[in-house]
Coordinates of all heavy atoms in Angstrom, one line a residue:
H74 N -13.0 15.1 10.1 CA -14.0 15.9 10.8 C -14.4 17.1 9.8 O -13.8 17.2 8.7 CB -13.5 16.4 12.1 CG -12.3 17.3 12.1 ND1 -11.1 16.9 11.5 CD2 -12.1 18.6 12.5 CE1 -10.2 17.9 11.6 NE2 -10.7 18.9 12.2
H76 N -14.1 20.5 10.1 CA -13.4 21.8 10.1 C -13.0 22.1 8.6 O -12.5 21.2 7.9 CB -12.2 21.8 11.0 CG -12.6 22.0 12.4 ND1 -11.7 21.7 13.5 CD2 -13.8 22.4 13.0 CE1 -12.4 21.9 14.6 NE2 -13.6 22.3 14.4
D78 N -10.5 23.5 7.1 CA -9.2 23.1 6.5 C -9.1 21.7 6.1 O -8.2 21.3 5.4 CB -8.1 23.5 7.5 CG -8.2 22.8 8.9 OD1 -9.3 22.7 9.4 OD2 -7.1 22.4 9.4
H79 N -10.1 20.9 6.5 CA -10.1 19.5 6.1 C -11.2 19.2 5.0 O -11.4 18.1 4.6 CB -10.4 18.6 7.3 CG -9.3 18.7 8.3 ND1 -8.3 17.7 8.4 CD2 -8.9 19.7 9.1 CE1 -7.4 18.1 9.3 NE2 -7.8 19.3 9.8
H151 N -10.9 15.9 19.6 CA -10.2 17.1 19.0 C -10.6 18.3 19.9 O -11.7 18.8 19.8 CB -10.7 17.3 17.6 CG -10.2 18.5 16.8 ND1 -9.1 19.3 17.2 CD2 -10.6 19.0 15.6 CE1 -8.9 20.2 16.3 NE2 -9.8 20.0 15.3
M157 N -14.4 17.4 20.7 CA -15.1 17.1 19.5 C -14.8 15.7 19.0 O -13.6 15.3 18.9 CB -14.6 18.1 18.4 CG -15.3 18.0 17.0 SD -14.5 19.2 15.9 CE -15.5 19.0 14.5
D172 N -5.4 16.3 14.3 CA -6.3 17.2 15.0 C -6.8 16.5 16.3 O -7.9 16.5 16.7 CB -7.5 17.6 14.2 CG -7.2 18.5 13.1 OD1 -6.3 18.1 12.2 OD2 -7.7 19.6 13.0
H203 N -4.8 20.7 19.7 CA -3.9 19.8 19.0 C -2.8 19.3 19.9 O -2.4 20.0 20.8 CB -3.2 20.5 17.8 CG -4.2 21.0 16.8 ND1 -4.6 20.3 15.7 CD2 -4.8 22.2 16.6 CE1 -5.5 21.0 15.0 NE2 -5.6 22.2 15.5
H225 N 0.2 18.2 10.1 CA -0.7 19.3 10.6 C 0.1 20.3 11.5 O -0.2 20.6 12.6 CB -1.9 18.7 11.4 CG -3.1 19.6 11.4 ND1 -3.2 20.8 12.0 CD2 -4.3 19.4 10.8 CE1 -4.4 21.3 11.9 NE2 -5.1 20.5 11.1
Ligands
ZN302 ZN1 -9.8 20.6 13.2

Side-chain angles (χ1 to χ4, degrees):
H74 64 301
H76 284 164
D78 55 321
H79 297 256
H151 181 10
M157 180 183 187
D172 293 57
H203 300 273
H225 209 289

